[in-house]
């Protein structure tokens, strides 16, 4: 039997003989490793999860024309959007605003891509249905109340300019379209002060000049990713000036920073408590084995041999506890993710060795004081029963 095998057998036998105390230490290490593995998994997955949640609160980036001479068109917008990585662009809604007449009332109409608007602004509450065909209209709640219109009503939408002259009967000949109200928009914000129609319908009324006023985008990514897009897009598409919607991006950054700080603090506290528990258990073991240690030192055992044995026991516990905790930590993180974010997470394989190594280091630090006490035992006093 080699020295290594004999050493491992001696450590295993020592742990088995004191299994009640060692199980307590193993449980403490496993709990600490579980919290470490679970919270670190959550720590790295939280930005993605929180980013997905914040996308429900609307656009976090807008495109504007870079100058009065620059044209913000669908071609330039699509070129700028192509600068955003695949998968990061959640939704994009171009908007063109024109004043139209309904029941002789001037109303601001927003022409947009309804599919893009639904993706970029999922928080919009629609009483009725989203328009999905030409000739359908979405009314803001304020405008619906002003015009006394409800879903299902048909209304004439007129677009007139100063060039449209009235005839001898006083009738102005302007572009007009019969449209059906499909839903009422409720947001509690300024969105309720507009009416919404397909961009193609607004172009039919006001003319197709390919002009856009603003484009709202919902982009998934960290604050660093968004800042990178803000810098890179104007370099590739000079006509477009991207801007961040600060009320969304700053709120997201603040929440993520505080949440990640909380995760770090809880992890640190749990590891300290694990260290205290292991240190207490190993101190009790050293106290129980005082006579054994004294006898071994009297027979010629070196302090190095005693240190190696106790540290071997502790590090073995740390390794086993780390392996158990890595598996339980992923289950814990999956449970939290499903219940908080309703989304699963992927297992981070690099976290397995990291959890084991940290568990071994924490256990090793916890064993330093008990091992020091073991080496200071005086064989003469112990064997005399003092």
């Amino acid at each position: 039997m080699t020295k290594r095998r004999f050493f491992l057998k001696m450590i295993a036998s020592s742990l088995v003989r004191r299994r009640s105390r060692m199980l307590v230490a193993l449980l403490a290490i496993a709990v600490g490793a579980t919290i470490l593995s679970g919270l670190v998994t959550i720590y790295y997955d939280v930005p993605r999860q929180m980013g997905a949640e914040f996308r429900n609160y609307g656009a976090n980036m807008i495109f504007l024309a870079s100058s009065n001479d620059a044209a913000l068109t669908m071609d330039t917008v699509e070129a700028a959007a192509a600068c955003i990585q695949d998968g990061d662009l959640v939704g994009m809604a171009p908007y063109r605003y024109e004043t139209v007449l309904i029941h002789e009332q001037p109303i601001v109409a927003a022409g947009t891509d309804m599919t893009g608007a639904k993706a970029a602004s999922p928080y919009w509450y629609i009483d009725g249905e989203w328009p999905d065909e030409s000739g359908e209209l979405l009314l803001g709640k304020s405008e619906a109340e002003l015009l006394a219109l409800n879903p299902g009503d048909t209304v004439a939408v007129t677009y007139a300019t100063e060039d449209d002259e009235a005839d001898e009967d006083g009738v102005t000949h302007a572009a007009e379209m019969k449209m059906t109200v499909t839903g009422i928009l409720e947001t509690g914000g300024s969105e309720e002060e507009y009416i919404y129609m397909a961009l193609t319908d607004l172009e039919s009324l006001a003319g197709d000049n390919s002009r856009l006023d603003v484009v709202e985008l919902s982009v998934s990514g960290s604050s660093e990713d968004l800042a990178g897009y803000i810098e890179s897009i104007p370099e590739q598409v000079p006509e477009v000036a991207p801007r961040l919607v600060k009320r969304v991006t700053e709120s997201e950054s603040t929440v993520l920073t505080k949440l990640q700080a909380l995760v770090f603090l809880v992890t640190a506290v749990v590891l300290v408590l694990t260290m205290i528990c292991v240190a207490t258990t190993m101190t009790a073991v050293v106290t129980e084995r005082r006579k054994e240690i004294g006898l071994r030192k009297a027979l010629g055992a070196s302090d190095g041999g005693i240190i190696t044995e106790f540290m071997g026991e502790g590090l073995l516990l740390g390794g086993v506890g780390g392996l158990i905790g890595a598996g339980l930590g992923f289950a814990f993180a999956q449970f939290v993710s499903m219940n908080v974010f309703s989304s699963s997470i992927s297992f981070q394989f690099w976290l397995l060795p990291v959890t084991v190594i940290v568990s071994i280091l924490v256990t090793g630090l916890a064993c330093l004081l008990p091992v020091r006490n073991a080496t200071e035992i005086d064989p003469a006093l112990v064997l005399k029963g003092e």
Side-chain angles (χ1 to χ4, degrees):
M1 182 180 292
T2 63
K3 290 184 178 180
R4 182 176 300 175
R5 291 180 59 188
F6 179 78
F7 177 70
L8 293 175
K9 184 177 180 180
M10 180 178 66
I11 291 176
S13 298
S14 178
L15 294 175
V16 170
R17 287 197 305 270
R18 297 166 182 83
R19 53 183 173 272
S20 59
R21 291 190 181 277
M22 293 307 178
L23 281 175
V24 173
L26 180 61
L27 180 61
I29 297 169
V31 169
T34 298
I35 299 300
L36 170 66
S37 174
L39 291 185
V40 170
T41 300
I42 294 172
Y43 179 92
Y44 279 96
D45 202 63
V46 155
R48 179 182 67 84
Q49 301 277 18
M50 290 295 294
E53 288 295 319
F54 269 97
R55 296 291 61 77
N56 293 326
Y57 295 96
N60 56 351
M61 184 184 295
I62 60 173
F63 286 168
L64 300 171
S66 57
S67 66
N68 293 331
D69 298 330
L72 190 65
T73 65
M74 284 303 302
D75 290 338
T76 57
V77 167
E78 289 174 356
C83 300
I84 300 174
Q85 292 184 4
D86 294 339
D88 283 355
L89 184 60
V90 178
M92 181 177 71
Y95 287 96
R96 174 184 173 185
Y97 298 99
E98 298 288 352
T99 300
V100 298
L101 298 176
I102 299 179
H103 296 171
E104 302 301 324
Q105 292 284 342
I107 305 293
V108 177
T112 186
D113 172 30
M114 292 298 174
T115 301
K118 186 186 297 185
S121 304
Y123 68 96
W124 282 10
Y125 172 74
I126 308 297
D127 180 13
E129 301 292 337
W130 277 86
D132 58 5
E133 296 181 0
S134 177
E136 294 183 339
L137 196 64
L138 178 66
L139 297 183
K141 184 178 179 181
S142 299
E143 302 306 317
E145 292 175 349
L146 174 66
L147 301 170
L149 294 174
N150 296 296
D153 293 345
T154 300
V155 65
V157 180
T158 305
Y159 178 80
T161 66
E162 296 178 355
D163 297 331
D164 295 319
E165 299 180 355
D167 59 18
E168 59 185 10
D169 297 325
V171 178
T172 300
H173 297 282
E176 182 176 287
M177 180 181 292
K178 293 289 185 180
M179 306 192 75
T180 301
V181 178
T182 63
I184 308 298
L185 171 63
E186 298 182 31
T187 65
S190 60
E191 295 87 356
E192 296 182 357
E193 300 172 1
Y194 301 92
I195 67 171
Y196 300 85
M197 63 180 70
L199 189 57
T200 53
D201 287 344
L202 186 60
E203 290 173 348
S204 298
L205 284 170
D208 183 8
N209 61 10
S210 302
R211 175 184 60 82
L212 296 174
D213 292 300
V214 67
V215 180
E216 295 185 355
L217 302 96
S218 179
V219 181
S220 177
S222 64
S223 56
E224 292 78 12
D225 294 334
L226 296 177
Y229 292 140
I230 295 298
E231 293 181 3
S232 63
I233 289 175
E235 296 175 356
Q236 302 183 48
V237 187
E239 298 85 357
V240 175
R243 298 287 187 272
L244 293 179
V245 182
K246 291 187 177 181
R247 62 181 175 84
V248 177
T249 55
E250 289 181 356
S251 297
E252 181 176 353
S253 178
T254 300
V255 171
L256 286 176
T257 301
K258 291 183 178 180
L259 188 56
Q260 289 178 330
L262 177 62
V263 168
F264 175 79
L265 179 61
V266 171
T267 302
V269 170
V270 170
L271 290 179
V272 170
L273 293 177
T274 300
M275 189 182 303
I276 293 172
C277 183
V278 173
T280 303
T281 302
M282 295 303 292
T283 299
V285 170
V286 169
T287 302
E288 286 182 355
R289 299 175 63 181
R290 290 181 75 249
K291 290 186 178 181
E292 175 190 335
I293 296 170
L295 179 60
R296 291 177 59 184
K297 294 184 72 173
L299 294 176
S302 64
D303 288 343
I306 294 173
I307 291 173
T308 301
E309 179 181 349
F310 277 96
M311 290 299 293
E313 293 178 8
L315 297 182
L316 181 60
L317 284 175
V320 175
L323 285 173
I324 296 173
L328 294 178
F330 174 71
F332 167 71
Q334 187 75 276
F335 175 80
V336 171
S337 181
M338 290 299 297
N339 283 272
V340 176
F341 300 106
S342 299
S343 175
S344 62
I345 59 176
S346 57
F347 182 74
Q348 304 291 333
F349 289 97
W350 60 267
L351 199 55
L352 178 61
V354 169
T355 303
V356 173
I357 291 173
V358 171
S359 299
I360 290 175
L361 291 176
V362 169
T363 307
L365 290 173
C367 291
L368 290 179
L369 183 59
V371 168
R372 179 184 176 186
N373 293 336
T375 59
E376 292 178 350
I377 292 177
D378 188 339
L381 296 178
V382 171
L383 295 177
K384 287 170 59 179
E386 297 181 6

